[in-house]
Amino acid sequence: MFSFLMAKEECISQRNKTEHSSILRNRKNIPTSLKTSQAPFTSVSKDKISQTAGHSSEDDNQSSNGSSAQLFTRRHGESPVKVLLLLVVGLSFSTRLYKITEPPHVCWDETHFGKMGSYYINRTFFFDVHPPLGKMLIGLAGYMTGYDGTFPFIKPGDKYEQQNYWGMRGFCAVLGSFLPIFAYLIVLELSQSHTAAFITAILLIFDTGCITISQYILLDPILMFFIMAAVLSMVKFNQQRYRPFTASWWFWLVLTGVNLAGAFGVKFVGLFVILLVGLNTIWDLWRLLGDLSLSLVDVAKHFLARVVGLILLPLFLYVTVFAVHFVVLNKSGPGDGFFSSAFQSRLMGNNLYNASMPEYLAYGSTITVKNLRIAGGYLHSHWHLYPEGVGSRQQQVTAYSHKDYNNLWLVHRQDDNNSQSGSPDLVRHGDIIRLEHKETTRNLHSHLHEAPLTKKHFQVTGYGINGTGDTNDLWQLEVCGGRKGDLVKVLRSKVRFLHRATGCVLYSSGKTLPKWGWEQVEVTCSPYLKETPSSQWNIEDHINPKLPNISLSVLKPHFLEILLESHIVMIRGLRFSGVNETEYRVYLLGNPVVWWLNLASLGLYLIMVAVASVTIQRGFSLGPKRIEQSQVLMRGGGLLLLGWLLHYAPFYTMGRVLYYHHYFPAMLFSSMLTGITVDILLNSADLILQPPYSDWMQRVGQMVLLLSVLYSFYLFHPLSYGMTGPLAHEPGSAMAGLKWMDSWEF
């Protein structure tokens, strides 16, 4: 294959010499508008390099002769280009789809995302911290390939048996197969070097980590597909800058927006590629503003086109994804309890669906009270007392996440034990009320004893008998944002309960009580009166036979309300398989040669940019080849370095546990940067050796790199495709001697 490509390139190289002189003759015909400064992250064509470099025949000959030393041609449209691309496509798909059905059991987060795909097939509502697009596509892939959504996905290791799971895995693998292809095309556009593009593709094709993370039912390959597609579309759009408002210009602009919506619709990590495209767009508009051949009207058109294509279109598509999500998931499921009562009223099978009850809260009503914090639960009590040494030994009051008879409370006036008599007066903002637990007849009570877990808060208990208690049972009801006399709407009003005696507010801390509290959620009375979801409640169930009922369909929230609530809930909120030698084991570990080369290339890139910058700043004479390399380093490499930083650094500011798989989007950018850096480094061999020795050195370097990656892949490929038998540190293991670092657990 390599000899065939070299033979083709020798023929093309001779043609290049003739065409190069033609380019020099024709460059004076370039329109003025094309001579403006280039966008920072676009490829640099050779005719523009020649303008900067001058007309030195010696440099021109050096540039032409140097091109023949490359392993692959730099020119588009020739047969070696097609061969290379087909080779990349074939290798990428074959490495990802190989043994796609192995192991035939649930691996790692397939427990979550396979189950969520089943929820879409069954139209069962669930909660997840990520936007819905990725899970929707997984469910669609399963449905289209015959999966019926009945497998429970309980835990890793559960056998699939006769379940048709290959479609969901295959879908993720196909999207993962596009990553090396997209990387090849991106680097090709940025560097105009097939060598750099092919090096990048090889690094990703034979990375065991990229293979593993692409072969299972996960969100990561879907996310990375849209990230890379967005970057490729952006780079292609940059290449259309001299053809504004043409069909191809609009195509790549719109496709960039579509892919941005896709990335953000899979995971919020997609925000980082949005920032990358946004920074590129800001610089591009700044360049256009400085182009005096454009009127301000023209600049405004460019600005509005980008607003439509890169802001409004992605926003519309993102909202549309949620609209489909809410329409499909219309049945009650395990996610109900994370959402408000109003939200639950739209789910078929939920006790609030198509229910009817009085619209306004009244004295004498039987109610349930739900906290508005995530998993805050329902106000709850039971016959059990607080244990000795935990505040006052009175009846426990907790928050419970499930529907239960012990969630029911009676609403009384402060001085009336029998509010059922007489006309049912409505409860208003500012009223003093008493809540009696229906099952135990004890009043909701607080006092100056410290809470069980949140020591700066006061304890909340059940006190008294048959509604008889003391002044510590009185609470002032406030409607958040309300005024005196406002009525309390069932489901819709956010209310707070202020304790009259101590001035604290009823609060769900979110902390789980010990076993003596049945591992339910702690309820306290907080002296800190700032309005937070933990101190806000709403009336969910409402029973009062003396009041007319209304259908809860009147109270159902509209689309924008449930869209906002779903985002609030989402915001607040690695061994893959196998545990012993008898099981089929798969591990997520990258190809060591690839990952260590990427790490070294980050430092090497910075050194090369520094050397190039000093050389240019000091005014040293550079030929077209060196100027082209410098601009590729600073522009194309600068884009990729920025992409790596945006997908790497922000994770250290997040208050969450970081896992290995979080680094893979950044790894894509570092691999592309490695391709450009290594290619330019090897092309610089003529700085220390004369042809043909520089050509030989370049070819040897390329072959050493290729063989190192392939041999490392050969050694570590069982990590991706699965293995059985002893572990690496045990005698007779197929991976014996390959545990190069103590942190590797295989």
Side-chain angles (χ1 to χ4, degrees):
M1 175 63 70
F2 294 144
S3 60
F4 165 75
L5 292 172
M6 287 299 301
K8 280 288 185 181
E9 180 171 5
E10 288 178 2
C11 297
I12 296 170
S13 177
Q14 297 299 321
R15 204 180 316 156
N16 286 353
K17 295 179 181 179
T18 305
E19 293 180 359
H20 185 69
S21 60
S22 175
I23 292 173
L24 292 175
R25 288 194 302 270
N26 295 334
R27 66 186 176 188
K28 293 183 179 180
N29 296 327
I30 298 175
T32 303
S33 62
L34 301 191
K35 296 182 180 180
T36 57
S37 61
Q38 298 200 21
F41 305 134
T42 57
S43 61
V44 184
S45 59
K46 289 186 177 180
D47 56 332
K48 290 193 175 291
I49 297 300
S50 299
Q51 293 182 45
T52 308
H55 300 271
S56 170
S57 59
E58 180 181 352
D59 288 341
D60 290 344
N61 290 334
Q62 181 184 6
S63 177
S64 298
N65 293 334
S67 65
S68 65
Q70 295 183 358
L71 182 60
F72 307 112
T73 178
R74 287 175 178 262
R75 296 192 55 80
H76 291 272
E78 305 293 344
S79 57
V81 179
K82 298 177 181 178
V83 171
L84 272 182
L85 186 56
L86 289 175
L87 181 62
V88 169
V89 171
L91 289 174
S92 187
F93 275 86
S94 61
T95 53
R96 270 68 181 169
L97 294 174
Y98 177 62
K99 299 180 74 172
I100 192 66
T101 59
E102 298 293 335
H105 62 245
V106 177
C107 296
W108 195 49
D109 272 359
E110 285 188 330
T111 303
H112 305 299
F113 302 120
K115 183 184 298 181
M116 293 171 187
S118 299
Y119 285 146
Y120 279 104
I121 294 174
N122 297 318
R123 307 192 68 176
T124 302
F125 187 77
F126 67 96
F127 164 71
D128 186 43
V129 296
H130 304 301
L133 179 59
K135 284 95 64 178
M136 290 173 61
L137 293 176
I138 289 172
L140 179 62
Y143 178 78
M144 296 295 291
T145 54
Y147 172 59
D148 60 6
T150 59
F151 187 74
F153 288 95
I154 295 175
K155 65 182 185 300
D158 287 351
K159 301 294 184 181
Y160 282 118
E161 302 297 344
Q162 303 303 316
Q163 294 289 338
N164 198 354
Y165 64 95
W166 64 268
M168 293 183 285
R169 278 192 182 175
F171 169 73
C172 293
V174 166
L175 295 191
S177 300
F178 278 100
L179 301 181
I181 301 169
F182 288 163
Y184 176 91
L185 296 173
I186 292 169
V187 172
L188 182 61
E189 289 294 337
L190 293 176
S191 68
Q192 298 298 301
S193 167
H194 292 284
T195 306
F198 191 68
I199 289 174
T200 298
I202 290 297
L203 295 179
L204 294 178
I205 287 172
F206 295 107
D207 179 62
T208 50
C210 282
I211 292 173
T212 302
I213 209 166
S214 298
Q215 285 195 312
Y216 299 96
I217 306 171
L218 304 171
L219 296 185
D220 301 87
I222 307 174
L223 169 68
M224 292 189 288
F225 171 87
F226 284 114
I227 288 175
M228 294 294 282
V231 175
L232 176 60
S233 301
M234 177 192 70
V235 171
K236 288 285 191 180
F237 174 71
N238 287 341
Q239 299 304 316
Q240 303 295 319
R241 63 190 179 279
Y242 299 132
R243 305 175 61 197
F245 305 108
T246 60
S248 59
W249 187 91
W250 278 110
F251 173 79
W252 290 113
L253 175 64
V254 169
L255 192 58
T256 303
V258 170
N259 287 314
L260 291 180
F264 197 62
V266 174
K267 280 188 175 183
F268 288 131
V269 173
L271 174 64
F272 302 146
V273 75
I274 293 176
L275 291 176
L276 179 65
V277 173
L279 292 172
N280 177 79
T281 302
I282 291 172
W283 183 269
D284 190 30
L285 289 172
W286 182 254
R287 177 187 62 82
L288 291 172
L289 186 62
D291 185 354
L292 299 183
S293 66
L294 297 176
S295 67
L296 291 179
V297 173
D298 292 331
V299 174
K301 290 179 180 178
H302 277 277
F303 174 77
L304 291 176
R306 287 160 174 80
V307 168
V308 172
L310 301 179
I311 298 178
L312 297 183
L313 176 62
L315 183 61
F316 170 77
L317 294 176
Y318 180 76
V319 172
T320 300
V321 167
F322 272 90
V324 175
H325 169 75
F326 293 135
V327 169
V328 172
L329 302 185
N330 63 352
K331 297 179 181 178
S332 178
D336 294 13
F338 291 94
F339 290 83
S340 69
S341 306
F343 189 102
Q344 295 180 45
S345 68
R346 52 176 293 277
L347 298 173
M348 297 171 58
N350 189 282
N351 68 307
L352 298 177
Y353 181 76
N354 282 345
S356 60
M357 63 181 65
E359 182 177 7
Y360 297 104
L361 180 62
Y363 292 105
S365 297
T366 300
I367 63 172
T368 59
V369 183
K370 189 176 190 300
N371 188 254
L372 297 188
R373 75 180 310 277
I374 303 304
Y378 296 91
L379 187 64
H380 177 95
S381 189
H382 40 235
W383 288 104
H384 302 279
L385 306 181
Y386 287 101
E388 193 70 39
V390 180
S392 176
R393 190 169 167 76
Q394 297 177 2
Q395 185 169 295
Q396 296 177 16
V397 172
T398 65
Y400 189 48
S401 299
H402 304 282
K403 311 282 187 179
D404 189 86
Y405 185 78
N406 280 328
N407 298 341
L408 296 176
W409 299 81
L410 295 172
V411 182
H412 294 291
R413 300 177 188 273
Q414 59 176 321
D415 55 356
D416 183 8
N417 287 335
N418 186 14
S419 297
Q420 295 288 348
S421 61
S423 59
D425 293 337
L426 300 180
V427 179
R428 299 178 182 273
H429 172 85
D431 282 4
I432 308 300
I433 67 169
R434 187 165 46 80
L435 291 178
E436 177 188 334
H437 188 242
K438 185 171 183 180
E439 172 66 13
T440 64
T441 72
R442 301 190 190 277
N443 296 327
L444 185 68
H445 178 97
S446 187
H447 43 223
L448 295 179
H449 294 275
E450 67 181 16
L453 302 179
T454 310
K455 300 302 183 181
K456 293 185 178 181
H457 290 194
F458 301 135
Q459 184 186 35
V460 175
T461 68
Y463 180 74
I465 189 68
N466 292 326
T468 301
D470 60 24
T471 56
N472 283 336
D473 302 339
L474 301 181
W475 302 81
Q476 183 174 9
L477 186 147
E478 289 188 352
V479 178
C480 297
R483 296 175 296 181
K484 187 171 179 61
D486 284 355
L487 298 175
V488 180
K489 294 181 179 180
V490 174
L491 295 179
R492 304 302 290 273
S493 291
K494 298 178 182 179
V495 300
R496 301 203 307 162
F497 299 93
L498 276 71
H499 192 240
R500 291 289 292 171
T502 63
C504 57
V505 62
L506 191 66
Y507 189 93
S508 173
S509 70
K511 299 177 182 178
T512 302
L513 293 168
K515 289 186 177 180
W516 57 255
W518 304 92
E519 297 182 337
Q520 296 174 8
V521 177
E522 179 192 41
V523 169
T524 69
C525 198
S526 171
Y528 308 104
L529 301 184
K530 181 180 179 181
E531 287 190 6
T532 67
S534 294
S535 65
Q536 294 174 330
W537 307 76
N538 73 279
I539 311 303
E540 182 169 291
D541 295 286
H542 183 211
I543 303 170
N544 194 320
K546 296 185 178 181
L547 290 175
N549 292 337
I550 66 165
S551 171
L552 289 187
S553 60
V554 178
L555 306 178
K556 287 181 182 178
H558 53 70
F559 172 69
L560 292 180
E561 286 180 313
I562 61 177
L563 178 66
L564 178 61
E565 180 176 346
S566 65
H567 281 76
I568 293 174
V569 172
M570 284 189 293
I571 292 172
R572 296 175 56 185
L574 286 171
R575 176 180 286 170
F576 260 52
S577 167
V579 295
N580 57 51
E581 66 179 51
T582 63
E583 292 186 337
Y584 195 99
R585 303 191 304 277
V586 177
Y587 292 86
L588 180 61
L589 180 72
N591 185 324
V593 170
V594 173
W595 286 67
W596 291 341
L597 179 62
N598 284 349
L599 182 61
S601 294
L602 288 170
L604 180 61
Y605 170 78
L606 296 176
I607 294 173
M608 292 172 64
V609 168
V611 171
S613 300
V614 171
T615 301
I616 294 173
Q617 188 70 13
R618 294 299 299 171
F620 288 103
S621 177
L622 299 175
K625 177 180 177 180
R626 302 295 171 230
I627 294 178
E628 177 185 8
Q629 291 175 345
S630 299
Q631 294 188 343
V632 168
L633 269 178
M634 296 178 185
R635 292 176 176 167
L639 168 68
L640 300 176
L641 180 64
L642 179 61
W644 175 79
L645 284 171
L646 289 174
H647 287 83
Y648 180 67
F651 281 103
Y652 287 96
T653 66
M654 298 180 182
R656 60 170 299 176
V657 177
L658 298 181
Y659 293 101
Y660 181 43
H661 69 96
H662 289 145
Y663 185 74
F664 276 86
M667 182 264 184
L668 297 175
F669 287 93
S670 65
S671 296
M672 291 188 286
L673 183 60
T674 296
I676 289 179
T677 302
V678 171
D679 177 48
I680 292 178
L681 178 67
L682 295 177
N683 267 290
S684 301
D686 56 359
L687 292 175
I688 56 176
L689 295 174
Q690 294 294 323
Y693 304 107
S694 61
D695 300 343
W696 296 348
M697 181 178 178
Q698 182 179 349
R699 293 171 188 171
V700 168
Q702 292 165 346
M703 293 303 300
V704 168
L705 173 62
L706 177 63
L707 292 176
S708 299
V709 172
L710 290 176
Y711 183 64
S712 181
F713 173 75
Y714 167 75
L715 292 177
F716 289 94
H717 78 275
L719 299 179
S720 293
Y721 297 123
M723 54 190 173
T724 57
L727 302 178
H729 63 279
E730 298 173 347
S733 172
M735 303 301 292
L738 295 179
K739 195 171 184 291
W740 297 346
M741 300 183 68
D742 292 337
S743 58
W744 295 356
E745 299 179 353
F746 57 81

